[in-house]
Amino acid sequence: MFENLSERLSGVFDRLTKQGALSEEDVQTALREVRVALLEADVSLPVARDFVARVQERATGQAVTRSITPGQQVVKIVHDALIDTLRGEGDPGALKIDNPPAPILMVGLQGSGKTTTTAKLAKRLKDREGKRVLMASLDTNRPAAMEQLAILGKQIGVDTLPIVKGEDPVAIARRAKTQAALGGYDVYMLDTAGRLHIDAELIAQAAAVRDVAKPRETLLVVDGLTGQDAVNVATEFDDKIGVTGVVLTRMDGDGRGGAALSMRAVTGRPIRFVGLGEKMDALETFDPERIAGRILG
Ligand code: GDP
């Protein structure tokens, strides 16, 4: 991911380093190129502007023009500014799951990787934190999706709520809650229905489930390859449902990393995890340091 941005920035800084000392004009030129690179990487315009302004402020403050290795110094300033924008508060991997059974609501569009991520996260909670997890699929429109969660559950050794035909999502959420309490589970995860696009029904259903379950965490799963669309999806879900964090999937692909930057800047919601493949272990805590390092190459 971030190849475009990374290549662009290395190109810019390479040229700067070769020139030796930097003039104010050089800094301006570099920052213009940084902005273009951000836009090309699918960062939204206001976010790119804001980011460049922050870099400019820092560059000026640190008298880059007089430094011996100005290129490196600018790289560091851009790196630090990227981290500032990407980082949320606290440990992104620390979910609020005290007070069992803690509900986690999983929302997102169909095909974003929601069901896969639900299972990956359940496995992580079981393996790393020794939690007893119950998963429930609320995707009553797609029996195959419900089956898929049950299959993944068996594969990773995590229980799923038995499927009852004809039950609506709110009723399933209630049953999951009861079952989680009676069964002594620490966490229950609700994998809500997804659609190809956000529509009123999807939002209404997710909101109804949210009101019943009162989730401790509402995680939005978005396809990291969908660029600016991912930001729009995040904005919409956050406005209508309220999310406590984002999981970016398919970050193993050559995604346009700009989406991560603008999603964070626009919604203010932290990115908690990234999906790095189809396997059940391919989920990692979001690491702004590593992402910034990859952006800069
Ligand atoms: P849902 O409709 O949102 O529940 O999506 P699924 O969980 O069914 O995922 C759709 C497809 O994306 C499946 O083939 C998954 O294996 C795949 N997938 C999910 N997460 C990732 C990821 O992080 N990387 C890659 N490469 N594939 C993923």
Side-chain angles (χ1 to χ4, degrees), residues 109-116 120 142 148 249-250 252 275-278:
L109 293 184
Q110 186 178 321
S112 61
K114 187 160 41 58
T115 299
T116 310
K120 284 177 177 177
R142 292 194 309 146
Q148 186 196 349
T249 61
R250 301 209 175 82
D252 47 315
L276 293 166
E278 302 201 42

Side-chain angles (χ1 to χ4, degrees), residues 135-155:
M135 304 189 291
S137 173
L138 275 51
D139 200 345
T140 49
N141 298 325
R142 292 194 309 146
M146 303 183 92
E147 277 300 323
Q148 186 196 349
L149 189 70
I151 291 165
L152 291 175
K154 280 211 183 77
Q155 194 182 317

